[in-house]
Amino acid sequence: MHPILFKIPLPHWNLPKFLGGGELHAFPIYAYGVMLGLSLVVGWYISLTMAKQDGLPRETMANNYVFTAICAIVGARVLYILTNLSEFHSYKDYFAIRSGGLVAYGGFLGGFIGSWIYCNRKRVRLLAWADVAVPSLASGLLFTRIGCYLFGCDFGKPLTEKAPKWLQKLGTFPEWHYDHKAGKFLDEAGLRLAYADPNVKPQILSGSPAWVQHTESFPQVRELHHSMPVHPTQIYESMTGLILLGLLFWARKSIKDREARGETFFRGEMFLVFTFGYGVLRFLLEIVRDDAERGTYGPHFEPHVIYPAALMALALAFVFGLSNMFTEKFRVAARSIAILLPFAVFMMMRPANKFAVVEMVQLSTSQWIALLTGIAAAAYYRRGLDLAITDPVRAQDLGSGVPELLEMEAALERGEEWPPRGTEEEEEQTEEDEAPKKKPAAKKPAVEDDEDDEDEAPASEKKPAAKKVEEKSTKAAKANKDDEKAETDQEIAESAKDKADDEKAAISKEEAAKTTPERPSAKVKAADDESEAST
């Protein structure tokens, strides 16, 4: 086992007292943290590549991925804390995740909530994003469970002596003790020396978790310095992630082929396939898990009763919903296998005889979540198929905000401003046109303005009421007198102007009469013409 892949040397830093005091010689890089980071990087490229192929805005989905990953880590830690409250004694313990302490289902639920918040804000359909995000969950299982195996947590039940030797070797976890201050692993003598000084609080991490738990159940383990051979359930679940990743790629190819042929499909198919598939496989894995950290809840049942009953519920949900993803040629075979699985589990777990003592069991936290989410996914898959037939446009919709986000990213990639200036002006003009026109306010008399000014004046400057009234009356009288005088002056000016205009007009007429010669009348002119004609 390699719980710590490598160490970063430090220049003998002195730790403060609230961190235990002493010197810190090296900073350990845990295998689980490295595998978690690797899974996030691989998931990033898978999700964003698929998002671009499906027509989702890449930059927006990149931000969504980061937000979802943070929420997933928080959710995984919260669920681990809730199921293992006895392990946490100080606030520092809540943030010590370098060596594990995350629950996969908590990560899925936290990521789902984070995605819903972000997609709802950007008006992107949640199921459209979920389809491109679930492959990263499968690849995450593939890598993070290898980190769990290197650390020695999430182990299974002890193997029998008939188990293959290679499997027993894979499932054997050694004893180790790592001193954080010294930056090295300690042997038995070094461990005794670390606890010799009562004035110094050592920071020693002991493992593996399988060995620590087995020291309480199997006394001989302390002398062996390694755990009993157990089911390497970390490897089992890592292979589960690989199987689900292949299943998701097959499902995506099938969906794209149907889309190319113009057949029905709906957003969320891949997400529901993963949710149901992981639910079934995780439920089966939990049967052979044995670590106490996973937590158990609910009433006690006989294992050969509760496990087949729960699997039968999942099988019926599969027959009702998810089996319709297969063609008619394979649908009958898939349904038959689903129904036969619970019976096979019952036959394997039933007591050898009716007098045998049966140990009662409880379902683990992950089994309850797997059972509920699996049934819900199968039921929603059937609803999605019905929606794809009755309303294909709605079933295949990416979200009302996607066109605008794509346009925005294209504009920013070209180096243009967003939103365009013309768009802002048009929106402002539209708002002005749609706003109701307000009537101009009537002009207040001078008295009212003075009243307003008086009212707005500070209290220290306000005058007595009687004096105020007298001043107002004086101002009003003066204003009326000024108005009357202005009207009188205006009338005098107008009459003088009219008189001057009349005099000018008369003089002009007299001058015109003097300069213009008199013309003979028409009758005189006619008589002269007749006399000339007779002559």
mmCIF file of all heavy atoms in Angstrom, residues 82-111:
data_model
loop_
_atom_site.group_PDB
_atom_site.id
_atom_site.type_symbol
_atom_site.label_atom_id
_atom_site.label_comp_id
_atom_site.label_asym_id
_atom_site.label_seq_id
_atom_site.Cartn_x
_atom_site.Cartn_y
_atom_site.Cartn_z
ATOM 1 N N LEU A 82 -21.846 13.297 8.758
ATOM 2 C CA LEU A 82 -23.122 12.907 9.360
ATOM 3 C C LEU A 82 -23.155 11.426 9.729
ATOM 4 O O LEU A 82 -23.824 11.034 10.693
ATOM 5 C CB LEU A 82 -24.269 13.224 8.395
ATOM 6 C CG LEU A 82 -24.532 14.716 8.133
ATOM 7 C CD1 LEU A 82 -25.630 14.885 7.089
ATOM 8 C CD2 LEU A 82 -24.913 15.434 9.421
ATOM 9 N N THR A 83 -22.454 10.609 8.979
ATOM 10 C CA THR A 83 -22.452 9.170 9.260
ATOM 11 C C THR A 83 -21.328 8.752 10.218
ATOM 12 O O THR A 83 -21.289 7.595 10.645
ATOM 13 C CB THR A 83 -22.319 8.372 7.950
ATOM 14 O OG1 THR A 83 -21.185 8.845 7.215
ATOM 15 C CG2 THR A 83 -23.566 8.527 7.101
ATOM 16 N N ASN A 84 -20.409 9.679 10.549
ATOM 17 C CA ASN A 84 -19.299 9.346 11.446
ATOM 18 C C ASN A 84 -19.022 10.496 12.412
ATOM 19 O O ASN A 84 -17.878 10.971 12.528
ATOM 20 C CB ASN A 84 -18.032 9.039 10.631
ATOM 21 C CG ASN A 84 -18.209 7.883 9.683
ATOM 22 O OD1 ASN A 84 -18.080 6.724 10.056
ATOM 23 N ND2 ASN A 84 -18.507 8.195 8.430
ATOM 24 N N LEU A 85 -20.033 10.928 13.103
ATOM 25 C CA LEU A 85 -19.889 12.071 14.015
ATOM 26 C C LEU A 85 -18.887 11.801 15.132
ATOM 27 O O LEU A 85 -18.238 12.728 15.629
ATOM 28 C CB LEU A 85 -21.254 12.428 14.610
ATOM 29 C CG LEU A 85 -22.266 13.045 13.644
ATOM 30 C CD1 LEU A 85 -23.623 13.191 14.324
ATOM 31 C CD2 LEU A 85 -21.777 14.401 13.151
ATOM 32 N N SER A 86 -18.731 10.555 15.529
ATOM 33 C CA SER A 86 -17.842 10.240 16.652
ATOM 34 C C SER A 86 -16.373 10.453 16.316
ATOM 35 O O SER A 86 -15.529 10.536 17.221
ATOM 36 C CB SER A 86 -18.059 8.794 17.095
ATOM 37 O OG SER A 86 -17.792 7.901 16.025
ATOM 38 N N GLU A 87 -16.011 10.557 15.037
ATOM 39 C CA GLU A 87 -14.610 10.726 14.647
ATOM 40 C C GLU A 87 -14.125 12.169 14.755
ATOM 41 O O GLU A 87 -12.921 12.418 14.697
ATOM 42 C CB GLU A 87 -14.406 10.253 13.196
ATOM 43 C CG GLU A 87 -14.583 8.767 13.003
ATOM 44 C CD GLU A 87 -14.249 8.358 11.585
ATOM 45 O OE1 GLU A 87 -13.699 9.207 10.842
ATOM 46 O OE2 GLU A 87 -14.530 7.215 11.216
ATOM 47 N N PHE A 88 -15.040 13.114 14.888
ATOM 48 C CA PHE A 88 -14.674 14.524 14.806
ATOM 49 C C PHE A 88 -14.693 15.147 16.200
ATOM 50 O O PHE A 88 -15.722 15.160 16.883
ATOM 51 C CB PHE A 88 -15.628 15.258 13.863
ATOM 52 C CG PHE A 88 -15.585 14.717 12.461
ATOM 53 C CD1 PHE A 88 -16.417 13.663 12.067
ATOM 54 C CD2 PHE A 88 -14.688 15.233 11.548
ATOM 55 C CE1 PHE A 88 -16.362 13.151 10.793
ATOM 56 C CE2 PHE A 88 -14.627 14.725 10.258
ATOM 57 C CZ PHE A 88 -15.462 13.677 9.877
ATOM 58 N N HIS A 89 -13.527 15.653 16.594
ATOM 59 C CA HIS A 89 -13.368 16.216 17.941
ATOM 60 C C HIS A 89 -13.035 17.701 17.925
ATOM 61 O O HIS A 89 -13.131 18.356 18.956
ATOM 62 C CB HIS A 89 -12.270 15.451 18.689
ATOM 63 C CG HIS A 89 -12.474 13.960 18.681
ATOM 64 N ND1 HIS A 89 -13.463 13.333 19.412
ATOM 65 C CD2 HIS A 89 -11.829 12.972 17.998
ATOM 66 C CE1 HIS A 89 -13.410 12.023 19.205
ATOM 67 N NE2 HIS A 89 -12.428 11.779 18.349
ATOM 68 N N SER A 90 -12.607 18.249 16.791
ATOM 69 C CA SER A 90 -12.288 19.672 16.693
ATOM 70 C C SER A 90 -12.627 20.147 15.289
ATOM 71 O O SER A 90 -12.871 19.342 14.377
ATOM 72 C CB SER A 90 -10.813 19.926 16.998
ATOM 73 O OG SER A 90 -9.992 19.325 16.010
ATOM 74 N N TYR A 91 -12.620 21.464 15.118
ATOM 75 C CA TYR A 91 -12.985 22.038 13.819
ATOM 76 C C TYR A 91 -11.974 21.653 12.740
ATOM 77 O O TYR A 91 -12.301 21.596 11.549
ATOM 78 C CB TYR A 91 -13.087 23.558 13.926
ATOM 79 C CG TYR A 91 -11.765 24.262 14.097
ATOM 80 C CD1 TYR A 91 -11.068 24.742 12.985
ATOM 81 C CD2 TYR A 91 -11.200 24.442 15.361
ATOM 82 C CE1 TYR A 91 -9.845 25.381 13.128
ATOM 83 C CE2 TYR A 91 -9.996 25.089 15.512
ATOM 84 C CZ TYR A 91 -9.320 25.559 14.397
ATOM 85 O OH TYR A 91 -8.119 26.191 14.555
ATOM 86 N N LYS A 92 -10.721 21.369 13.119
ATOM 87 C CA LYS A 92 -9.712 20.975 12.135
ATOM 88 C C LYS A 92 -10.061 19.641 11.479
ATOM 89 O O LYS A 92 -9.738 19.417 10.312
ATOM 90 C CB LYS A 92 -8.339 20.874 12.806
ATOM 91 C CG LYS A 92 -7.782 22.190 13.297
ATOM 92 C CD LYS A 92 -6.400 21.990 13.885
ATOM 93 C CE LYS A 92 -6.470 21.085 15.129
ATOM 94 N NZ LYS A 92 -5.136 20.896 15.740
ATOM 95 N N ASP A 93 -10.715 18.771 12.228
ATOM 96 C CA ASP A 93 -11.042 17.454 11.694
ATOM 97 C C ASP A 93 -12.013 17.533 10.527
ATOM 98 O O ASP A 93 -12.014 16.661 9.657
ATOM 99 C CB ASP A 93 -11.643 16.575 12.798
ATOM 100 C CG ASP A 93 -10.659 16.331 13.930
ATOM 101 O OD1 ASP A 93 -9.441 16.439 13.683
ATOM 102 O OD2 ASP A 93 -11.106 16.052 15.069
ATOM 103 N N TYR A 94 -12.836 18.578 10.494
ATOM 104 C CA TYR A 94 -13.822 18.685 9.421
ATOM 105 C C TYR A 94 -13.177 18.951 8.066
ATOM 106 O O TYR A 94 -13.758 18.662 7.027
ATOM 107 C CB TYR A 94 -14.824 19.805 9.725
ATOM 108 C CG TYR A 94 -15.702 19.528 10.925
ATOM 109 C CD1 TYR A 94 -15.510 20.210 12.124
ATOM 110 C CD2 TYR A 94 -16.702 18.574 10.866
ATOM 111 C CE1 TYR A 94 -16.309 19.953 13.233
ATOM 112 C CE2 TYR A 94 -17.507 18.309 11.962
ATOM 113 C CZ TYR A 94 -17.302 19.008 13.145
ATOM 114 O OH TYR A 94 -18.092 18.744 14.234
ATOM 115 N N PHE A 95 -11.963 19.508 8.059
ATOM 116 C CA PHE A 95 -11.313 19.890 6.805
ATOM 117 C C PHE A 95 -10.158 18.970 6.431
ATOM 118 O O PHE A 95 -9.477 19.221 5.439
ATOM 119 C CB PHE A 95 -10.797 21.330 6.916
ATOM 120 C CG PHE A 95 -11.867 22.328 7.243
ATOM 121 C CD1 PHE A 95 -12.052 22.769 8.547
ATOM 122 C CD2 PHE A 95 -12.714 22.799 6.259
ATOM 123 C CE1 PHE A 95 -13.048 23.677 8.858
ATOM 124 C CE2 PHE A 95 -13.712 23.706 6.558
ATOM 125 C CZ PHE A 95 -13.881 24.148 7.859
ATOM 126 N N ALA A 96 -9.932 17.905 7.186
ATOM 127 C CA ALA A 96 -8.829 16.983 6.906
ATOM 128 C C ALA A 96 -9.288 15.938 5.897
ATOM 129 O O ALA A 96 -9.662 14.818 6.252
ATOM 130 C CB ALA A 96 -8.357 16.321 8.205
ATOM 131 N N ILE A 97 -9.267 16.291 4.609
ATOM 132 C CA ILE A 97 -9.773 15.384 3.566
ATOM 133 C C ILE A 97 -8.655 14.846 2.685
ATOM 134 O O ILE A 97 -8.918 14.127 1.725
ATOM 135 C CB ILE A 97 -10.821 16.090 2.682
ATOM 136 C CG1 ILE A 97 -10.185 17.277 1.946
ATOM 137 C CG2 ILE A 97 -12.006 16.534 3.498
ATOM 138 C CD1 ILE A 97 -11.090 17.904 0.927
ATOM 139 N N ARG A 98 -7.378 15.185 3.003
ATOM 140 C CA ARG A 98 -6.289 14.703 2.150
ATOM 141 C C ARG A 98 -6.174 13.187 2.198
ATOM 142 O O ARG A 98 -5.751 12.551 1.237
ATOM 143 C CB ARG A 98 -4.961 15.327 2.583
ATOM 144 C CG ARG A 98 -4.849 16.813 2.305
ATOM 145 C CD ARG A 98 -3.514 17.334 2.794
ATOM 146 N NE ARG A 98 -3.360 17.124 4.234
ATOM 147 C CZ ARG A 98 -2.196 17.121 4.866
ATOM 148 N NH1 ARG A 98 -1.091 17.298 4.178
ATOM 149 N NH2 ARG A 98 -2.135 16.937 6.169
ATOM 150 N N SER A 99 -6.552 12.596 3.314
ATOM 151 C CA SER A 99 -6.422 11.151 3.485
ATOM 152 C C SER A 99 -7.757 10.427 3.341
ATOM 153 O O SER A 99 -7.900 9.297 3.773
ATOM 154 C CB SER A 99 -5.823 10.847 4.864
ATOM 155 O OG SER A 99 -6.630 11.412 5.889
ATOM 156 N N GLY A 100 -8.737 11.068 2.710
ATOM 157 C CA GLY A 100 -10.032 10.422 2.509
ATOM 158 C C GLY A 100 -11.117 11.091 3.331
ATOM 159 O O GLY A 100 -11.028 12.259 3.710
ATOM 160 N N GLY A 101 -12.167 10.330 3.602
ATOM 161 C CA GLY A 101 -13.270 10.876 4.377
ATOM 162 C C GLY A 101 -14.344 11.510 3.513
ATOM 163 O O GLY A 101 -14.961 12.496 3.907
ATOM 164 N N LEU A 102 -14.570 10.948 2.324
ATOM 165 C CA LEU A 102 -15.614 11.425 1.424
ATOM 166 C C LEU A 102 -16.511 10.255 1.051
ATOM 167 O O LEU A 102 -16.051 9.126 0.916
ATOM 168 C CB LEU A 102 -15.007 12.037 0.156
ATOM 169 C CG LEU A 102 -14.021 13.193 0.348
ATOM 170 C CD1 LEU A 102 -13.433 13.606 -0.996
ATOM 171 C CD2 LEU A 102 -14.698 14.381 1.009
ATOM 172 N N VAL A 103 -17.796 10.539 0.877
ATOM 173 C CA VAL A 103 -18.768 9.516 0.489
ATOM 174 C C VAL A 103 -19.222 9.812 -0.936
ATOM 175 O O VAL A 103 -19.641 10.937 -1.245
ATOM 176 C CB VAL A 103 -19.974 9.502 1.447
ATOM 177 C CG1 VAL A 103 -20.988 8.456 1.021
ATOM 178 C CG2 VAL A 103 -19.495 9.224 2.874
ATOM 179 N N ALA A 104 -19.140 8.800 -1.801
ATOM 180 C CA ALA A 104 -19.450 9.005 -3.216
ATOM 181 C C ALA A 104 -20.866 9.531 -3.419
ATOM 182 O O ALA A 104 -21.086 10.480 -4.183
ATOM 183 C CB ALA A 104 -19.253 7.690 -3.975
ATOM 184 N N TYR A 105 -21.828 8.939 -2.736
ATOM 185 C CA TYR A 105 -23.212 9.371 -2.923
ATOM 186 C C TYR A 105 -23.429 10.794 -2.418
ATOM 187 O O TYR A 105 -24.249 11.541 -2.956
ATOM 188 C CB TYR A 105 -24.176 8.411 -2.239
ATOM 189 C CG TYR A 105 -24.816 7.437 -3.194
ATOM 190 C CD1 TYR A 105 -24.721 6.066 -2.998
ATOM 191 C CD2 TYR A 105 -25.512 7.888 -4.303
ATOM 192 C CE1 TYR A 105 -25.298 5.165 -3.885
ATOM 193 C CE2 TYR A 105 -26.084 6.996 -5.191
ATOM 194 C CZ TYR A 105 -25.979 5.644 -4.983
ATOM 195 O OH TYR A 105 -26.550 4.779 -5.869
ATOM 196 N N GLY A 106 -22.714 11.182 -1.380
ATOM 197 C CA GLY A 106 -22.787 12.564 -0.928
ATOM 198 C C GLY A 106 -22.279 13.514 -1.993
ATOM 199 O O GLY A 106 -22.831 14.609 -2.195
ATOM 200 N N GLY A 107 -21.210 13.092 -2.717
ATOM 201 C CA GLY A 107 -20.696 13.898 -3.819
ATOM 202 C C GLY A 107 -21.690 14.021 -4.959
ATOM 203 O O GLY A 107 -21.856 15.093 -5.547
ATOM 204 N N PHE A 108 -22.375 12.902 -5.265
ATOM 205 C CA PHE A 108 -23.372 12.949 -6.336
ATOM 206 C C PHE A 108 -24.524 13.892 -5.980
ATOM 207 O O PHE A 108 -24.958 14.710 -6.803
ATOM 208 C CB PHE A 108 -23.921 11.551 -6.605
ATOM 209 C CG PHE A 108 -22.881 10.578 -7.108
ATOM 210 C CD1 PHE A 108 -23.084 9.211 -7.015
ATOM 211 C CD2 PHE A 108 -21.692 11.030 -7.655
ATOM 212 C CE1 PHE A 108 -22.129 8.318 -7.462
ATOM 213 C CE2 PHE A 108 -20.730 10.145 -8.110
ATOM 214 C CZ PHE A 108 -20.944 8.783 -8.012
ATOM 215 N N LEU A 109 -24.997 13.795 -4.764
ATOM 216 C CA LEU A 109 -26.122 14.640 -4.346
ATOM 217 C C LEU A 109 -25.695 16.115 -4.264
ATOM 218 O O LEU A 109 -26.435 17.006 -4.697
ATOM 219 C CB LEU A 109 -26.655 14.166 -2.993
ATOM 220 C CG LEU A 109 -27.277 12.760 -2.976
ATOM 221 C CD1 LEU A 109 -27.674 12.371 -1.562
ATOM 222 C CD2 LEU A 109 -28.491 12.694 -3.896
ATOM 223 N N GLY A 110 -24.506 16.376 -3.711
ATOM 224 C CA GLY A 110 -24.020 17.749 -3.645
ATOM 225 C C GLY A 110 -23.811 18.349 -5.025
ATOM 226 O O GLY A 110 -24.158 19.507 -5.273
ATOM 227 N N GLY A 111 -23.234 17.560 -5.934
ATOM 228 C CA GLY A 111 -23.042 18.038 -7.300
ATOM 229 C C GLY A 111 -24.352 18.281 -8.020
ATOM 230 O O GLY A 111 -24.480 19.226 -8.806
#
